[in-house]
Amino acid sequence: MAGNSDRQGQSVTSRAFALLGAFDVAHPRLTLTDMARRAGLPVATAHRLAAELEAWRALDRDVDGCYRIGLRLWEAGLLAPVSSRLREIALPFLQDLYEANRENVHLAVRDGFDTLYVEKLAGHRSVPILSRIGARLPLHATGVGKALLAHAEPAFVQAYCERPLPRCTRYTIAERGRLLRELSLTRERGWAQTSEEMSLGSCSVAVPVFDDAGGAPTAALAFVIHTNRADLAKLVPALTSAAAGIASRLAEAREADAS
Amino acid sequence: MAGNSDRQGQSVTSRAFALLGAFDVAHPRLTLTDMARRAGLPVATAHRLAAELEAWRALDRDVDGCYRIGLRLWEAGLLAPVSSRLREIALPFLQDLYEANRENVHLAVRDGFDTLYVEKLAGHRSVPILSRIGARLPLHATGVGKALLAHAEPAFVQAYCERPLPRCTRYTIAERGRLLRELSLTRERGWAQTSEEMSLGSCSVAVPVFDDAGGAPTAALAFVIHTNRADLAKLVPALTSAAAGIASRLAEAREADAS
């Protein structure tokens, strides 16, 4: 690391990425000062690094001088497997699900203790929902999350349940014993459901996507619908069939990598 | 830049981004050696920087040690306005267009001399197409590209036409005079079309999205359909109405930024 560190003992690369990490959904546009403060860097350092990030278009600037995440970073990010592989393979299946039912369709993966949303299809008639692409929500409060958690390694489930379980609505299952019973039921039944556990007025039904034998699911698929339209079990066969289609395409792609 | 450069005279930040730039659609997975070679860096330098990029999850590693663009880079990229603003605002409109017509729906912007695809909705029944999110195609050979080019600044159009115009199929309009007449017709008619100019067997109809008075279009919307289903003019009113809806939401978002 010689020549690659400054007085703060932080590498140049990690400081450049600290600037990128200053942006989030609540802060998609930042002045230089705010960006430096959120990244924990002196303004002069932030200014110099921002110029380099701007040259690569990892950052772009608005006409008023505010910084935003740049176009080239978006393009590079699309090459991550979650987008270039999972999302690309799943999209026509999601589209068919949407077309047949006209309800919100979600695709999510597990990352750490979070449900991470990879795709979300919605029309103007769908129930408004909290998730957007890239959103993170608690596993135990979402349908996709329960489908992922129900089939995770037992040690992971234990670690998850030992942490405080946030209560998103008054219907969220936030007691450890109840959650474990719910996960067990989810495994037996083959699909997960929620009823106003993440947002009042909406419920969901979800299935896991397995792309290899025996492991944890790669992803989960869900419909999220108005509570008063809820006939969740009726939506399961379409989800199961889409999940099988996606799983088989993912397995093909993995074999192509290996060869 | 003191302390921020190495013997090659390139900053640490630009070398770290050179590693990210080593990945593209044809190379989404790279060994350390290939990544170093494509980035023009010594393997030892690449190895050290890759470890830092991996720590931030700008890179992730497969079980076999190959590198891929990482999950956090994908998450950061989603905050770029093209995704967090344009794509998010446009999606329900695109979804409604898809739902009503069941044909490929595209959303694109102009970046440099390229059509850059921001979203593409397709079901299993849609005609297979070349574009994917993040793809870049020539402006003069695509419907969205012609819609963007027809309303670009005259100096830009001139610069575009002075470069060689690649011929993607035998129907691509690759003569300057013919292209200028086509753009003029596109402006008068209010919509662009292509017929097998990018891919044999498919044609497209596109309209620009203007979100402020007088400027160049922010984006363009298109249907891409089988040539033998082509009744392009019939698809224009739905596109125009979606473009107006998107434009009005974009203008609202811009006003919210300014206030």
Side-chain angles (χ1 to χ4, degrees):
Chain A
M1 291 284 186
N4 193 17
S5 309
D6 71 353
R7 284 184 297 277
Q8 287 90 46
Q10 214 188 359
S11 77
V12 173
T13 308
S14 70
R15 285 181 286 147
F17 281 98
L19 284 187
L20 298 178
F23 295 83
D24 61 27
V25 174
H27 305 85
R29 234 168 78 89
L30 291 170
T31 62
L32 176 65
T33 317
D34 286 343
M35 184 168 66
R37 186 179 44 76
R38 290 176 53 87
L41 294 175
V43 171
T45 308
H47 186 254
R48 177 169 53 76
L49 287 170
E52 295 202 60
L53 293 172
E54 205 185 335
W56 197 80
R57 298 196 68 188
L59 292 179
D60 283 334
R61 272 216 271 184
D62 284 351
V63 283
D64 63 1
C66 275
Y67 290 90
R68 290 188 184 268
I69 292 293
L71 194 64
R72 190 154 175 206
L73 202 78
W74 172 73
E75 288 188 75
L78 293 176
L79 297 169
V82 80
S83 171
S84 65
R85 170 152 301 182
L86 177 60
R87 192 252 181 205
E88 284 293 301
I89 285 177
L91 188 63
F93 293 96
L94 304 180
Q95 202 63 56
D96 290 350
L97 288 172
Y98 177 81
E99 200 180 327
N101 298 278
R102 300 186 180 180
E103 302 287 1
N104 292 284
V105 179
H106 289 183
L107 174 71
V109 297
R110 172 164 83 71
D111 188 58
F113 290 125
D114 298 329
T115 307
L116 175 62
Y117 287 84
V118 173
E119 190 50 280
K120 175 200 97 173
L121 295 183
H124 279 114
R125 276 182 293 270
S126 315
V127 56
I129 37 167
L130 290 178
S131 54
R132 41 160 200 89
I133 298 191
R136 290 175 176 272
L137 291 175
L139 288 168
H140 66 284
T142 63
V144 277
K146 281 191 205 172
L148 292 163
L149 195 53
H151 300 274
E153 305 76 14
F156 176 83
V157 178
Q158 195 183 336
Y160 189 88
C161 289
E162 276 167 6
R163 301 159 64 243
L165 298 172
R167 198 178 279 283
C168 306
T169 72
R170 64 179 179 274
Y171 302 110
T172 311
I173 300 176
E175 298 81 31
R176 181 163 184 252
R178 253 190 86 204
L179 179 59
L180 289 171
R181 285 194 299 280
E182 173 83 2
L183 295 177
S184 171
L185 174 64
T186 299
R187 268 191 303 277
E188 282 161 28
R189 193 171 50 190
W191 49 278
Q193 67 165 66
T194 58
S195 181
E196 306 199 299
E197 293 159 49
M198 188 66 233
S199 310
L200 294 178
S202 73
C203 60
S204 67
V205 55
V207 302
V209 177
F210 292 98
D211 78 332
D212 54 3
T218 302
L221 286 180
F223 281 117
V224 179
I225 67 182
H226 275 294
T227 305
N228 59 13
R229 287 198 214 138
D231 184 359
L232 295 176
K234 227 175 66 181
L235 293 168
V236 171
L239 285 176
T240 306
S241 148
I246 295 169
S248 123
R249 300 281 184 93
L250 286 171
E252 283 165 27
R254 208 182 46 250
E255 278 160 32
D257 278 353
S259 66
Chain B
M1 290 288 188
N4 193 17
S5 311
D6 71 353
R7 282 182 296 278
Q8 288 89 43
Q10 216 189 356
S11 77
V12 172
T13 308
S14 70
R15 284 181 287 147
F17 281 99
L19 284 186
L20 298 179
F23 295 83
D24 61 28
V25 173
H27 305 86
R29 235 168 78 87
L30 291 171
T31 62
L32 176 64
T33 316
D34 287 343
M35 184 168 67
R37 187 179 44 78
R38 290 175 54 86
L41 293 175
V43 171
T45 308
H47 185 255
R48 175 169 55 73
L49 288 171
E52 294 201 59
L53 293 172
E54 205 185 335
W56 198 78
R57 299 196 68 189
L59 293 178
D60 282 334
R61 270 216 272 183
D62 283 350
V63 282
D64 63 3
C66 275
Y67 290 90
R68 289 186 184 271
I69 293 293
L71 193 66
R72 188 153 178 211
L73 201 77
W74 172 73
E75 288 188 75
L78 294 176
L79 298 170
V82 79
S83 171
S84 64
R85 171 152 301 180
L86 177 59
R87 193 255 182 204
E88 285 292 300
I89 284 177
L91 189 63
F93 293 96
L94 304 181
Q95 202 64 57
D96 290 350
L97 288 173
Y98 177 83
E99 199 181 327
N101 298 277
R102 300 187 182 180
E103 303 287 1
N104 291 285
V105 179
H106 289 184
L107 174 70
V109 297
R110 174 165 81 71
D111 188 57
F113 290 124
D114 299 329
T115 307
L116 175 62
Y117 287 84
V118 174
E119 188 52 280
K120 177 199 95 172
L121 296 183
H124 279 114
R125 276 183 293 271
S126 314
V127 56
I129 36 163
L130 291 177
S131 54
R132 40 161 201 86
I133 297 191
R136 288 174 176 271
L137 291 175
L139 288 168
H140 67 284
T142 63
V144 276
K146 282 191 205 173
L148 291 162
L149 196 52
H151 299 275
E153 305 76 14
F156 176 83
V157 178
Q158 195 183 336
Y160 189 88
C161 290
E162 277 167 6
R163 299 160 64 244
L165 298 172
R167 198 178 279 282
C168 306
T169 72
R170 62 181 180 275
Y171 303 110
T172 311
I173 299 176
E175 298 81 31
R176 180 166 184 250
R178 253 189 85 204
L179 179 58
L180 290 171
R181 285 194 299 280
E182 173 83 3
L183 295 177
S184 171
L185 175 64
T186 300
R187 268 190 303 276
E188 282 160 28
R189 193 172 48 192
W191 49 278
Q193 67 165 65
T194 59
S195 181
E196 306 200 300
E197 293 158 51
M198 187 67 234
S199 310
L200 294 178
S202 74
C203 60
S204 67
V205 55
V207 303
V209 177
F210 293 98
D211 79 332
D212 54 2
T218 302
L221 286 180
F223 281 117
V224 178
I225 67 180
H226 276 293
T227 305
N228 59 12
R229 285 197 216 141
D231 185 359
L232 295 175
K234 227 175 67 183
L235 294 167
V236 171
L239 286 175
T240 306
S241 147
I246 295 167
S248 122
R249 299 278 183 94
L250 285 171
E252 283 166 28
R254 209 182 46 250
E255 277 161 33
D257 278 353
S259 67

